[in-house]
DNA sequence: ATTAATGTTCAGAA
DNA sequence: TTTCTGAACATTAA
């Protein structure tokens, strides 16, 4: 489930196409159902072939190819999307393939087992309008402590739900929300607007620490191996998880609490009841 | 053999 | 306006 660290790792992998020129756009007919793609394959091919890749950026949990005419090709992997710069291990799930000339690698494959992901190609004005209509919050790696606090103050929902809201802050998903809140010693159900100033500071520090460590480890590859790097190798951050998927285990920090699993916003939520007590920590 | 669980985003309802 | 729920989907665990 690609969140910020996984998508950032994909982006870095895809940087090898910078400077290259797109020479073909193919959709293998093997996969079961088509994923959401706009415009159609034909139009996409017409507008992509011959274009050069100016840069590869990340926008929240999306990977953005910026082309020489400022069009933007955006991959949104959602749950099971993969961006591969090596031959895909199982061709059945490949949804789109781009061939390049003049790049460090010949081929980019977008593979997606569940097919919940999407691919969009925007002209500059379309891109601007799309993200004005549905604005993302500041990136989790860029947001200043005060800005984070001000944004968290605007909602009464549980702080974990607030962290998952991409309009408040962009890039955090279920797994890292759990890890960040544990690191910050904040109960995930705490109303966001009731966080103290110091809790917000801890949250900001924890967010940077966890996300940067996870990027250094190339993200988290769980047992279902749904996420892999662009080189089709597993990430390593799962070894550092302190709460996610660890219900029943003893908390690694306090050495006494038992990790619990509860459900918040219909998602599995892991935390240590001892480290992350509901009482406000000054 | 059903049924639940997995988690991201969006549409639509409350 | 804000918050919540369900659907999209594939695969696995119970």
């Amino acid at each position: 489930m690609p969140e910020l660290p996984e998508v950032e790792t994909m982006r870095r992998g895809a940087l090898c196409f910078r400077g290259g020129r797109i020479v073909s756009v193919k959709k293998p007919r093997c996969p079961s159902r088509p994923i959401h793609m706009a415009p159609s394959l034909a139009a996409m091919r017409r507008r992509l072939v011959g274009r050069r890749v100016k840069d590869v950026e990340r926008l929240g949990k999306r990977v953005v190819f910026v082309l020489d005419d400022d069009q933007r090709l955006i991959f949104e992997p959602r749950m099971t999307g993969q961006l591969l710069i090596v031959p895909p291990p199982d061709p059945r799930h490949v949804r789109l393939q781009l061939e390049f000339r003049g790049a460090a690698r010949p081929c980019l494959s977008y593979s997606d087992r569940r097919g919940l992901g999407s691919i969009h190609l925007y002209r500059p004005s379309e891109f601007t309008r799309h993200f004005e209509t549905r604005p993302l919050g500041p990136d989790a790696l860029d947001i200043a402590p005060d800005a984070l606090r001000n944004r968290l103050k605007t909602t009464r929902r549980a702080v974990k739900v607030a962290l998952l809201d991409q309009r408040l802050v962009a890039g955090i998903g279920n797994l890292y929300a759990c890890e960040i809140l544990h690191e910050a010693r904040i109960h995930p159900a705490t109303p966001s607007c009731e966080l103290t100033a110091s809790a917000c500071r801890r949250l900001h520090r924890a967010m940077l620490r966890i996300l940067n460590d996870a990027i250094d480890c190339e993200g988290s590859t769980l047992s279902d191996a749904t996420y892999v790097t662009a080189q089709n190798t597993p990430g390593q951050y799962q070894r550092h998880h302190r709460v996610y998927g660890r219900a029943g285990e003893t908390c690694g920090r306090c050495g006494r609490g038992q990790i619990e699993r509860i459900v918040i916003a219909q998602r599995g939520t892991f935390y240590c009841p001892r480290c992350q007590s509901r009482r406000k920590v000054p």
Side-chain angles (χ1 to χ4, degrees):
Chain A
M1 41 282 22
E3 306 178 27
L4 188 151
E6 289 77 23
V7 177
E8 175 61 18
T9 304
M10 291 180 188
R11 181 192 77 84
R12 293 179 184 188
L15 272 177
C16 66
F17 297 112
R18 199 164 42 177
R21 201 179 285 284
I22 300 172
V23 295
S24 80
V25 180
K26 294 175 189 165
K27 182 167 62 123
R29 59 172 69 74
C30 333
S32 31
R33 299 184 177 283
I35 59 162
H36 184 249
M37 194 162 99
S40 68
L41 177 67
M44 210 173 263
R45 181 177 285 136
R46 197 162 55 238
R47 287 166 50 183
L48 284 179
V49 171
R51 299 271 68 83
R52 196 182 282 275
V53 178
K54 199 155 74 174
D55 207 354
V56 185
E57 301 176 344
R58 182 178 56 77
L59 198 52
K61 301 178 192 173
R62 298 167 169 94
V63 176
V64 182
F65 283 69
V66 184
L67 306 175
D68 54 3
D69 59 357
D70 289 322
Q71 292 189 95
R72 280 165 168 84
L73 178 64
I74 304 192
F75 294 89
E76 186 180 6
R78 297 260 182 121
M79 290 293 300
T80 54
Q82 304 177 334
L83 221 45
L84 297 168
I85 65 172
V86 295
D90 73 1
R92 291 177 304 149
H93 299 128
V94 176
R95 314 290 178 147
L96 194 71
Q97 278 188 316
L98 303 186
E99 273 188 331
F100 294 85
R101 290 282 154 71
R105 298 272 183 166
C107 186
L108 169 73
S109 302
Y110 178 76
S111 180
D112 194 334
R113 203 181 63 194
R114 286 173 68 175
L116 294 176
S118 69
I119 304 175
H120 282 89
L121 178 61
Y122 296 103
R123 287 182 248 270
S125 60
E126 296 170 332
F127 172 76
T128 306
R129 204 184 58 225
H130 182 86
F131 287 99
E132 276 172 0
T133 324
R134 314 132 176 269
L136 286 178
D139 194 83
L141 291 180
D142 295 336
I143 191 170
D146 286 353
L148 180 66
R149 186 180 179 208
N150 289 334
R151 287 180 167 260
L152 290 173
K153 272 200 287 212
T154 64
T155 179
R156 297 163 54 181
R157 295 129 90 203
V159 59
K160 188 199 173 207
V161 177
L163 289 178
L164 294 176
D165 186 340
Q166 304 299 299
R167 296 167 304 185
L168 287 185
V169 52
I172 298 170
N174 195 48
L175 190 159
Y176 292 103
C178 293
E179 294 297 327
I180 289 167
L181 289 168
H182 177 257
E183 172 74 14
R185 310 198 313 275
I186 296 169
H187 193 290
T190 310
S192 178
C193 59
E194 291 178 13
L195 290 172
T196 63
S198 79
C200 287
R201 278 195 298 273
R202 292 201 309 276
L203 186 57
H204 185 266
R205 287 172 58 91
M207 185 171 74
L208 290 184
R209 184 173 305 158
I210 298 278
L211 295 177
N212 281 313
D213 285 356
I215 291 172
D216 290 342
C217 291
E218 302 188 301
S220 302
T221 297
L222 304 180
S223 54
D224 60 0
T226 192
Y227 158 76
V228 290
T229 69
Q231 294 83 15
N232 190 30
T233 57
Q236 299 299 326
Y237 192 72
Q238 63 280 3
R239 300 175 177 186
H240 301 263
H241 294 175
R242 309 201 81 166
V243 288
Y244 188 83
R246 296 190 173 279
E249 296 182 33
T250 301
C251 173
R253 189 210 280 115
C254 69
R256 310 223 356 227
Q258 295 257 308
I259 307 303
E260 276 185 20
R261 181 190 184 277
I262 58 176
V263 174
I264 293 180
Q266 297 120 267
R267 268 100 133 214
T269 302
F270 300 87
Y271 74 107
C272 170
R274 196 160 179 280
C275 294
Q276 299 166 265
S277 99
R278 259 173 194 283
R279 285 175 321 205
K280 291 179 187 173
V281 182

